[in-house]
Amino acid sequence: MATDIHRYYDEKLDAEYAALLEAEQSEINPDLINPTRPMDADQSRTALCSSEAGRRLVSDWDEMGGFRAHLANVQRDAANIVRALGGNREQRVFMERFDSEVPEGARYAIYSEIAAGTVYVTPASPAEVKHFATTAAGKLLAAEWGSYAAEKVAMLRARAKRLTDAMTEEDADEFWTWFDELPPATAMAIFRKMAG
């Protein structure tokens, strides 16, 4: 770095040095490290391509306008959800549970759904909004959303259907069981982002 700054950056030694510093700091105090820092696109592609489901996701994103663009959007949206859950420790715990308890096929379906974004929906009926409000998270969100609740509930229902349709029956059962066990505050953070 001191003798050839251009080579230092060209050979990505700055990133290597930052990773070494971060590893050193994480050993001292793991709560200082930002758990939502996005993984490099090339590393993400390599990790995803280690399975058939991951290769399909990479191929789909390449065909839909570019892997890097979709990855960046998904990383940003997922990070926004996770950051709403609390400090670094809470974020890390959630991410570790998600990775270990949600089946791989379901995780990739979720990433694909986040990348797909919102769609046009017909507002939900009053009965559907009332049903949504039977859970602790749903009750708070229906009150928070007020007159927008019908549209947001319809969006959640449409996205949940697309998500379920993209999973195997077994993966969908495991995912929805995991989701139903989330604390209300966590479910609310996810619902807010997915409702648009």
Side-chain angles (χ1 to χ4, degrees):
M1 180 171 78
T3 58
D4 191 345
I5 194 70
H6 296 293
R7 182 175 166 216
Y8 176 72
Y9 288 109
D10 289 344
E11 294 181 10
K12 299 190 187 293
L13 296 175
D14 59 322
E16 185 177 328
Y17 181 61
L20 289 170
L21 287 177
E22 185 173 305
E24 184 178 292
Q25 287 300 314
S26 70
E27 287 180 22
I28 297 168
N29 185 353
D31 293 333
L32 293 177
I33 304 306
N34 176 7
T36 59
R37 189 190 66 194
M39 182 186 285
D40 176 72
D42 292 331
Q43 288 178 310
S44 293
R45 181 185 288 270
T46 301
L48 288 168
C49 286
S50 65
S51 73
E52 181 61 35
R55 286 189 291 276
R56 265 194 316 274
L57 180 65
V58 169
S59 175
D60 289 347
W61 286 357
D62 277 335
E63 290 174 9
M64 294 177 1
F67 173 78
R68 286 178 183 271
H70 288 290
L71 176 69
N73 290 336
V74 170
Q75 287 175 329
R76 181 195 64 235
D77 289 350
N80 288 338
I81 291 169
V82 174
R83 281 189 206 108
L85 304 179
N88 287 353
R89 182 180 300 264
E90 292 83 7
Q91 293 173 28
R92 190 169 30 264
V93 167
F94 173 81
M95 291 169 65
E96 287 170 0
R97 282 192 61 217
F98 179 79
D99 287 341
S100 66
E101 296 175 12
V102 175
E104 179 185 58
R107 289 196 317 269
Y108 294 161
I110 292 163
Y111 302 155
S112 184
E113 178 58 33
I114 292 171
T118 58
V119 294
Y120 173 78
V121 292
T122 302
S125 69
E128 289 171 324
V129 174
K130 186 177 180 180
H131 179 71
F132 176 73
T134 59
T135 65
K139 181 179 180 179
L140 293 169
L141 285 173
E144 177 183 310
W145 290 336
S147 63
Y148 295 102
E151 183 180 327
K152 292 189 178 283
V153 168
M155 180 65 66
L156 290 174
R157 290 173 61 87
R159 295 191 83 175
K161 181 179 179 344
R162 282 193 328 202
L163 190 55
T164 301
D165 290 347
M167 297 181 201
T168 65
E169 188 175 334
E170 183 179 332
D171 284 353
D173 287 344
E174 285 188 51
F175 169 70
W176 291 115
T177 299
W178 174 84
F179 189 86
D180 288 342
E181 294 172 357
L182 291 175
T186 303
M188 287 173 65
I190 295 168
F191 283 151
R192 279 189 190 105
K193 187 64 183 172
M194 297 305 278

